[in-house]
Structures are given as C-alpha cells and as structure tokens.
Amino acid sequence: MRDNHLSSTPLYRRGWQLAAALTALCAAILILAPRPSVADDQAVGLIYQPVVPIQAPPAPIGPLYGVVFISSAEDRVPGSGRTTGSLEQQYQHGLATGATWNRWPLYWFNIEKSPGAFDWATQDATVRADLTHGLKLNAILLGTPGFYTTDDAVRASRPPRPRPGTLSLDSVERATPVGLYEPIFSDGTDTPGPGKLVNPANKWANFTWLAVNRYKPGGVLAQAEGWPLGVGVTHWEMWNEPDLNIFWDASKEDYARLLKVGYLTAKQADPAAQVLFAGLANNVAKASYYQDILTILAADPAAAQYGFYHDILATHSYFHAWKSWYHVYRALGTMRDFGFEKPIWLNESGVPAWDDYPGPVWDPQSALRATTKEQADYVIQSAFYALFAGADGVFHFQLYDGCGNQPAGTDFPPHNGELCDANGEYQGKPCAGDANGLYTNPTDMSCFRQHPQPASPRLTQAAYNVLTRHVQNVMPYWRKREGAAKACPVENPGGGIVQAPPQEWIAFYRPATQERVVGMWTLCGRAETAVIDATSPDGRATLVFADGRTQPIAAVDGHYTIQLPAATNRNPYPFSNYPNAIYPIGGSPVILIEKDIAAAGG
C-alpha cells in the first residue's frame, strides 16, 4: 500500500498556462481568417505549431466528473424512434448528475459510408447539443469500415446501425485499417511540419484529421456556425479497450501504430488537442497491455519527443471497487518505469444491478452484479479508490441502461425468469440485460423499454451526486485500514489474499475550505464502529451518506463514533483468482467532512 500526503502539483501539470495561451492564439488567428463552409474539411487546421505533448488547462485541483452516453450520435439516427423531448430530458438527467463531461463514440463506419463519402449529420447535431448544454466531450474514434479492413473488401457501404447507449463492434470493424503503415503526411514522412496535410492513403490518419478539424475550437463547424472562442472538442480517445478482442482483433504493434498515427494527426490539426490512450479493459489475459505498447513505442526514436503518443491514459474498472485503486496505481507505476507521468482518467466504471429491470431479478447470485443498494455503494468506493491512487477524472458507465452488452432491439416485459427459454433467450435475444444506468431507460429507447418507472433515477444517481457535490476541489491526503476487531480477507496488490483490519478509511483535503473529506466503509460481512479523532476546533462535522442524506455530528472526548454497515455483496467474481474469498464491494460508505486546520499549517 502507498500513503499519499499533501504534495506540490506534479510537474506534468505546470505547463497548462502556456497551453492556454497557445490555444487562444491559434483560435484568434483562425477567427480572423475567412470562414470556410462546413464541407471544406481540408482547409482548416493549416496554421502550424510544433507538435508537443502539452496539457490543456485543468482545474487547479480535481477531479473532473463525467458520465458515458449522456448523448450519442446513434440516438439521432433516422428511424431510432427517439423524440426531441426525450433527448432533451436525457440532457437534463445528465446535467442533474453534476457531471461536466460526456463520453461517446464517433463510429468511423457510420460516418464514412463508402470510400471518401462522409456523412457527419448526426455527429454534428450531437456535438452541437453537447456544447449547447455546457458539456465537454471525451470523443472516441473507432470502428474500421468494412471496405478499409485488412484482408476484407466485402462491404462497400451500408446504412449506419443504431447503437444507442452501447459500445460494440462487429468482427469486421475490429480489424487493422488498410494503409495504417503508409506515411502519415502527404510529403511521405511521419514528421509533422508547417502546412503539411495528411496522406490520403493512410485512411485512419485521414479520418482522424477530418474529425479533429471539424469539431475543434475554431474548426469547420465552429467557424461555419460562429461558436464562441475556445468552444469545441479537444479530447480524442484513440479506440476503446484494445486489450479485448471484441474491440481490437489485431496485434499490439498495430495498436501502437494506430495510436501514433492518431496522435500526430490530431496534433497537426489542433496543437492543443489532448489525445487519450484507449481506455483499457484491464483484461487479465493481457494484464501488461499498456506496458507492452510502451515497450513497442520505446523502440521508436521519436516516441519520447512526442510523449509516447498520448497525453492521458484512460482505464476502466468494474464490480470490484478496490480494483479502481489497483488499475490506476499499476498504470502510474508503468509510466514511471518509462520515465514519465501523465494524467489518468477512469473513464468507465460501474457494476450492473441484478434486482432491477432489465437485470435477472430471479438470480441473486448473478455473476459480476450487485443489488441497486450495493451498486450505489460501489460508485462512491470506486471513486475514492481511484482518486486516491492518482486518477484525475472519474466517469460512470452510463446515464441510461441503453442496450448494455446485449444486441440492439433486446426488449421484454418485466418477469421472474419464466420468459427465458433453455438458451437464456426471449424471442431470440437475451432474456435479461445490464442495469448499468444512473437512470432507467425511457420508453423510446431501442432496448429495455418496459421498466415500470421509465427514465427514473436509481440509487446510483444519488450516490454520484454525493461525489459531484462533496468530493470536489480535493487532493489525496491519507489512507489507512482501521479497526481492532477480527481482520477481513482482502486482495493483496502483489497477489494472494491477506488479512487486513476491517475498515477502509480514505481521506482527501480541500485547501479552499481547509476541510478533510474522509470516506469510511467496512471490508467484510459484519458491521463496524469507526472511532476517528476530531480535527475541527469546535468538534463538529458533517456526515454524508450514499443516498445523499447529511447529518451533523459532534465529537465526544475528542473523537467521532460512526456506525458502518456490513458488506453484503458475495456475487461470483469469475475473473478473480480468489472467487468468493472477498467482498468485492464494501459496506455502505459514510463520509465525514470537517475542518482540518492542522493540515494547512494553521
């Protein structure tokens, strides 16, 4: 374990003022230029600045909060059935979470429908609506069109597939795009430079170039529609979960090349762009994927100059709350092994519920699931773990249930298992789904339309609000395991199960208010009493619970006594080496907020 204490801002954050000035300068120059038409994609982005791994201006202290699929382009595909009123309600639900970031995919195959023919209509509308609602966008670029797939030239074109609220690729779309190893730029090199355009033979470079130029601040859409200075998309994620074959059915060398091409192209188009290494699923079969990609890139003489071709690492974590600490901690260690540190975003996290539609309500031991109460507890515990380990942002997956991991069109009435056939299906599709959403699906979604309370908040919505309201403008302070009672079995970072004190305490410090924010929960199946020394001069503090309730508390004899409920989740954990040996989600957390003058030297 590693204790984090108050420390100075990491070096990688200190160049943001320069980045901000550069962004403003580029945008100002672009605004003075004649406005191109929306179709004039190649005409924008030719003002050259050296491609360097600069950082966009972050908040002075984090974290940033996001929700996946507050919107998506697929919601607006003709024939999707979504109404204007429902889409606006979706935005209002997204904003009600307190999140300021959205994350959704720009499927390449839904945009370039035949070679050289691009249709950006639904993406334009969605980006425009995101920005109008004040949301920032973590845009994902992915999905090879069939006509550009290596060893496949079968599909020339096809209508876009509606996939609202889901990230998925067909097998043909997971493959290496043709031309990936062609030179990136039209002068036959991979070296950025003034006035250079991309090489049209490199199809991934061309798509990335058009996307970034279209949606960047001062880009094609910004100039055509008169967006305010600085408004546009700045964060570009290069694919999704390449350590899973269901997303990237190609070699690590090919992903390293795709990342490099995407990074250099995006930076040539917009020097202030921030490029994300694709969110890692942390597949146990490819546990060293990030390290392996960095090793491949380290053989490239230019890799260090360009920050190993990413500005931010994205990572994902599900079900086992502690793993959100572990994945961030491991990633930071890998970075240090290669001599750098970068921001880390946990841009997918969550656990589906089994006890609410469309979950398998008849199966309380459904693997990798939880009750809606445990689901809410996970939201807070996962965020505390990730942020303490060093994550700069936390995203929940997702706003609505969408289609989850099920095929588009999956739908059924509420039932107790009687509708499932011998294959676990209903009318040829799964008879249960993933209740991931902070809200249940509305009735006009393409999947799971029959919840008794459509478009209604789950307990996770209140839990996420606890984070966005109370865990803001903080930095890691300390972490400890406490409790004198019988120890609990927990997973050890070095492998194996160890016995540990039964209470997890994780503290953050908020300099602006000189407060500490301490999250506490049990690690195993019995209630615990936390006794924590008071730090406020008047011995008074506030407790915040996972459902959003707050309660004042007064110290007695210089300490607070707080009751912590028992952990209850024992759902199977098949990807663990130690199934059923631990509680993957702790007991319901309690957050203590109080003055801590001593931490500020007062």
Side-chain angles (χ1 to χ4, degrees), residues 48-86:
Y48 178 73
Q49 294 289 343
V51 178
V52 294
I54 59 175
Q55 302 300 322
I61 300 177
L64 61 86
Y65 288 108
V67 174
V68 183
F69 286 123
I70 292 177
S71 64
S72 76
E74 280 61 48
D75 286 328
R76 299 172 185 273
V77 171
S80 68
R82 302 302 306 280
T83 66
T84 301
S86 179

Side-chain angles (χ1 to χ4, degrees), residues 65-71 87-102 133 135 399-400 438-439 461 464-465 468:
Y65 288 108
V67 174
V68 183
F69 286 123
I70 292 177
S71 64
L87 292 174
E88 178 57 30
Q89 179 188 53
Q90 186 167 329
Y91 273 112
Q92 294 308 315
H93 285 161
L95 295 173
T97 69
T100 56
W101 284 79
N102 190 8
H133 286 88
L135 292 168
L399 183 67
Y400 290 159
L438 298 175
Y439 291 80
Q461 198 270 2
Y464 196 75
N465 272 155
T468 59

Side-chain angles (χ1 to χ4, degrees), residues 29 71 106 111 161 276-277 356 500 552 555 583 591:
I29 296 172
S71 64
L106 279 76
I111 296 170
R161 280 172 297 157
L276 281 72
F277 191 111
D356 190 25
Y583 288 81
I591 299 172

Side-chain angles (χ1 to χ4, degrees), residues 201-563:
N202 192 316
K203 304 304 181 183
W204 173 247
N206 188 58
F207 173 64
T208 303
W209 173 261
L210 294 177
V212 176
N213 271 317
R214 189 171 193 84
Y215 299 121
K216 70 181 182 180
V220 171
L221 214 57
Q223 293 190 49
E225 300 185 0
W227 294 354
L229 181 66
V231 171
V233 180
T234 55
H235 286 66
W236 302 93
E237 188 173 349
M238 298 298 159
W239 222 264
N240 180 68
E241 297 186 338
D243 54 335
L244 288 179
N245 290 344
I246 61 171
F247 282 105
W248 182 250
D249 190 16
S251 68
K252 294 175 183 176
E253 289 77 10
D254 284 359
Y255 180 72
R257 175 64 182 175
L258 181 136
L259 180 66
K260 175 180 179 175
V261 171
Y263 177 93
L264 292 176
T265 301
K267 294 285 189 175
Q268 178 75 7
D270 178 10
Q274 296 287 280
V275 174
L276 281 72
F277 191 111
L280 294 170
N282 293 295
N283 177 4
V284 294
K286 299 180 180 180
S288 62
Y289 196 88
Y290 185 48
Q291 180 182 35
D292 294 345
I293 298 297
L294 294 182
T295 299
I296 293 167
L297 293 175
D300 179 345
Q305 176 186 356
Y306 297 119
F308 283 78
Y309 304 114
H310 62 295
D311 301 300
I312 299 166
L313 172 70
T315 193
H316 300 165
S317 188
Y318 286 91
F319 184 61
H320 185 185
W322 172 83
K323 283 294 180 72
S324 297
W325 174 87
Y326 181 62
H327 295 322
V328 174
Y329 178 81
R330 282 189 68 237
L332 184 58
T334 299
M335 290 177 180
R336 289 171 176 166
D337 288 343
F338 285 83
F340 64 83
E341 288 188 25
K342 296 179 183 292
I344 300 173
W345 287 10
L346 183 70
N347 68 356
E348 281 189 28
S349 59
V351 55
W354 64 263
D355 65 342
D356 190 25
Y357 177 93
V361 298
W362 60 90
D363 185 7
Q365 285 301 302
S366 179
L368 300 173
R369 285 185 168 92
T371 66
T372 51
K373 178 66 172 67
E374 294 163 347
Q375 186 184 44
D377 297 338
Y378 172 93
V379 166
I380 293 174
Q381 293 171 23
S382 170
F384 268 68
Y385 277 125
L387 296 174
F388 187 81
D392 297 84
V394 172
F395 288 61
H396 181 80
F397 188 89
Q398 51 192 11
L399 183 67
Y400 290 159
D401 294 330
C403 290
N405 292 311
Q406 288 71 49
T410 302
D411 191 39
F412 41 78
H415 65 102
N416 288 306
E418 70 276 5
L419 297 184
C420 301
D421 63 21
N423 297 316
E425 294 184 341
Y426 170 71
Q427 298 182 347
K429 292 185 177 179
C431 64
D434 296 324
N436 282 311
L438 298 175
Y439 291 80
T440 62
N441 276 357
T443 56
D444 62 351
M445 292 289 281
S446 68
C447 296
F448 312 135
R449 295 185 288 263
Q450 302 183 54
H451 195 284
Q453 296 176 301
S456 61
R458 290 198 175 98
L459 296 175
T460 45
Q461 198 270 2
Y464 196 75
N465 272 155
V466 167
L467 296 173
T468 59
R469 291 174 182 171
H470 299 287
V471 191
Q472 288 277 20
N473 302 314
V474 296
M475 56 176 54
Y477 191 11
W478 50 259
R479 176 187 176 194
K480 61 174 69 174
R481 292 212 166 131
E482 278 290 335
K486 182 181 177 182
C488 289
V490 298
E491 195 166 345
N492 184 39
I497 298 295
V498 297
Q499 296 296 313
Q503 301 173 24
E504 184 79 87
W505 295 4
I506 299 178
F508 297 90
Y509 184 69
R510 183 163 29 236
T513 57
Q514 297 184 334
E515 291 175 311
R516 65 175 182 172
V517 180
V518 186
M520 295 172 280
W521 55 88
T522 57
L523 294 169
C524 52
R526 62 177 181 271
E528 290 281 333
T529 300
V531 180
I532 181 170
D533 292 340
T535 59
S536 63
D538 62 359
R540 296 185 181 278
T542 299
L543 299 182
V544 183
F545 300 92
D547 60 4
R549 288 178 298 119
T550 61
Q551 174 186 314
I553 186 172
V556 176
D557 296 330
H559 57 258
Y560 304 107
T561 301
I562 301 167
Q563 301 305 314

